[in-house]
């Protein structure tokens, strides 16, 4: 099955700086890559996703890049704010025939004011 | 979070108790999921229901028993649990178009979870 590895496990950044989280996946057939943000006491919330026919996608301060050849994808948060502090999860799936989202272990992001 | 709701939010139970977790989605989706989230581990998929039919049972012990009476409701019945079953149990839903249109399942939306502690 699909194996998703996520790095780093913890990330501390100064407010206003950028944060980057990287994930690698093992199954070259994976074609859907969502990112979730989980705040304390809440369930994971989708913040951005990308499909394999696109190399980059941006939504305001958040961007995701995908390198299919290297089988890795990254989340970039620019101009970080204290409310960006949370646990972020990457995931991968084969949307054509699979119900499974394979998740990374998560990155705890702390934005220092 | 109002799209997918879960009750109770917190549950403490003994190993001999029987309890149930409830999930309800208000998004018009037709696929629902149970996940287990333990500290420092990736989310683990437990069960998947699509069009009220179980399509995935990810080698989950029989002390966990799911029930999906309709496309909006999902239950997880618990009995004779072990302390290592303590975790956050998350419900999710999505619009499953694969079984109807041979196009993949859509984005999963999560509820807030039930924090379960087994004594």
């Amino acid at each position: 099955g699909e194996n998703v590895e996520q790095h780093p496990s913890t990330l501390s950044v100064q407010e206003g700086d950028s944060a980057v989280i990287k994930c690698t996946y093992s199954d070259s057939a994976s074609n859907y890559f969502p990112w979730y943000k989980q705040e304390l006491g809440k369930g994971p919330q989708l913040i951005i996703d990308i499909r394999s026919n696109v190399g980059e996608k941006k939504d305001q301060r958040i961007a995701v890049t995908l390198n299919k050849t290297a089988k890795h994808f990254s989340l970039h948060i620019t101009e970080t704010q204290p409310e960006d502090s949370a646990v972020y999860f990457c995931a991968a799936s084969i949307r054509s025939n699979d119900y499974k989202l394979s998740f990374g272990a998560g990155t705890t992001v702390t934005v220092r004011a | 979070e109002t799209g997918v709701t879960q009750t109770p939010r917190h549950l403490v139970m003994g190993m001999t108790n029987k309890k149930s977790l409830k999930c309800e989605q208000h998004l018009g989706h037709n696929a629902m999921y149970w996940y287990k989230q333990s500290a420092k581990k990736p989310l683990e998929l437990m069960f998947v229901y699509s069009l009220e039919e179980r399509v995935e049972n990810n080698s989950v012990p029989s002390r966990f028993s799911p029930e999906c009476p309709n496309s909006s409701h999902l239950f997880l019945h618990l009995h004779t649990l072990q302390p290592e079953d303590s975790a956050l149990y998350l419900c999710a839903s999505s619009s499953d178009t694969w079984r109807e249109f041979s196009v993949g399942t859509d984005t999963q939306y999560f509820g807030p979870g039930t924090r379960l502690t087994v004594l």
Side-chain angles (χ1 to χ4, degrees), chain B:
Chain B
E1 284 188 9
T2 55
V4 182
T5 58
Q6 290 186 242
T7 55
R9 295 294 308 274
H10 301 272
L11 178 62
V12 179
M13 59 186 291
M15 290 190 286
T16 58
N17 291 160
K18 289 185 179 181
K19 297 286 184 183
S20 295
L21 309 184
K22 179 182 176 182
C23 175
E24 185 173 359
Q25 60 94 5
H26 312 271
L27 300 170
H29 290 162
N30 53 13
M32 298 187 77
Y33 311 74
W34 279 117
Y35 285 88
K36 176 183 180 182
Q37 186 177 33
S38 303
K40 306 300 182 184
K41 294 176 66 176
L43 274 72
E44 301 173 53
L45 179 65
M46 300 175 71
F47 300 103
V48 181
Y49 277 83
S50 176
L51 300 172
E52 300 155 41
E53 181 180 336
R54 189 190 308 181
V55 295
E56 184 76 32
N57 178 355
N58 220 23
S59 303
V60 179
S62 59
R63 56 185 184 270
F64 295 91
S65 175
E67 178 189 1
C68 187
N70 55 63
S71 60
S72 298
H73 294 86
L74 184 66
F75 295 88
L76 187 62
H77 304 298
L78 316 172
H79 66 96
T80 326
L81 294 192
Q82 305 298 312
E84 58 265 29
D85 296 323
S86 298
L88 182 69
Y89 288 84
L90 291 161
C91 173
S93 71
S94 72
S95 178
D96 175 13
T97 52
W98 170 248
R99 286 159 61 84
E100 292 186 83
F101 306 112
S102 298
V103 176
T105 54
D106 211 329
T107 302
Q108 293 182 26
Y109 295 87
F110 286 84
T114 295
R115 173 67 62 185
L116 174 67
T117 303
V118 182
L119 301 177

Side-chain angles (χ1 to χ4, degrees), chain A residues 61-96:
Chain A
R61 296 186 297 107
I62 295 173
V64 58
T65 59
L66 171 65
N67 183 327
K68 289 191 297 181
T69 302
K71 289 189 286 187
H72 68 70
F73 55 113
S74 301
L75 178 73
H76 304 254
I77 307 173
T78 58
E79 301 172 24
T80 53
Q81 301 169 4
E83 53 264 38
D84 294 329
S85 296
V87 181
Y88 291 81
F89 294 95
C90 62
S93 77
I94 306 168
R95 293 188 78 222
S96 61

